[in-house]
Amino acid sequence: MNPNVGFGYDIHRFKKGRKLYLGGVEIPHPAGLVGHSDGDCLIHALIDALLGASGDVDIGRLFPDTGPDYKDIRSTELLKRVAGRLRRKKLEVLNVDAVIVAQAPRLAPFVDKMKAVLCPLLRLPSERLGIKAKTNEGIGLVGREKAVACWVVVLVGRKRGERR
Ligand code: MG
């Protein structure tokens, strides 16, 4: 197998009164993330990593934020479509490792729930998906609780027996 690495990054601002979604999980908080979709920047970074590893276009080209099609769409729905796109290319996700940087809320208690949502969509066993939640030590926009940033790396391989 000749695996490909993919790397994705995303950052979204908080806005009071919006629902907060991260890793496909709704998290109780007075503010949510601004976005054309539900603002789930963990899934957006994951999607860009998957698209990068499969030599595809980026998330902005695949799901443009200019039209009504993706307005307020759940990012889990976008991830389902991207996972299908990889499968049609006979590619499988081998592992994923993610970092979420948020000063607040505390996200560690939600990591298992995120894994329970994301693993089936990626057809990945739990031990092959890493999610770490960190603060930004009070530094910058993220540290002042104005935004959440995420980084994701993925490894993608061609399914056994499939030729390029
Ligand atoms: Mg985004």
Side-chain angles (χ1 to χ4, degrees):
M1 194 184 285
N2 223 346
N4 283 352
V5 69
F7 179 52
Y9 164 77
D10 199 20
I11 185 166
H12 281 233
R13 282 179 185 274
F14 273 121
K15 186 179 180 183
K16 283 210 171 101
R18 261 180 84 89
K19 285 185 177 178
L20 174 60
Y21 293 100
L22 279 169
V25 175
E26 188 183 334
I27 294 165
H29 195 57
L33 297 171
V34 178
H36 190 68
S37 65
D38 62 7
D40 190 327
C41 66
L42 175 58
I43 292 187
H44 296 179
L46 170 58
I47 285 174
D48 252 350
L50 292 169
L51 291 172
S54 54
D56 212 327
V57 298
D58 67 29
I59 187 171
R61 275 187 61 192
L62 195 56
F63 307 117
D65 63 4
T66 46
D69 291 6
Y70 307 111
K71 179 89 183 102
D72 296 325
I73 195 171
R74 287 295 309 273
S75 296
T76 42
E77 185 54 42
L78 303 179
L79 179 58
K80 271 180 211 165
R81 295 181 194 185
V82 169
R85 219 168 148 91
L86 265 73
R87 281 196 294 275
R88 285 193 293 280
K89 291 183 172 184
K90 310 293 183 198
L91 296 171
E92 65 179 333
V93 182
L94 301 174
N95 86 300
V96 173
D97 197 16
V99 179
I100 314 170
V101 190
Q103 197 65 36
R106 209 171 104 71
L107 296 171
F110 297 95
V111 164
D112 285 346
K113 279 186 185 168
M114 294 176 194
K115 290 177 68 158
V117 170
L118 298 177
C119 283
L121 296 180
L122 298 166
R123 302 193 179 173
L124 204 58
S126 172
E127 68 271 16
R128 288 183 174 269
L129 170 60
I131 301 177
K132 283 92 65 189
K134 304 170 68 74
T135 74
N136 212 40
E137 295 287 336
I139 299 162
L141 266 183
V142 173
R144 293 197 304 276
E145 301 181 29
K146 300 288 187 201
V148 174
C150 297
W151 286 260
V152 177
V153 287
V154 303
L155 206 59
V156 163
R158 200 151 294 273
K159 286 183 182 166
R160 266 176 206 284
E162 299 287 351
R163 291 193 166 202
R164 209 170 265 274

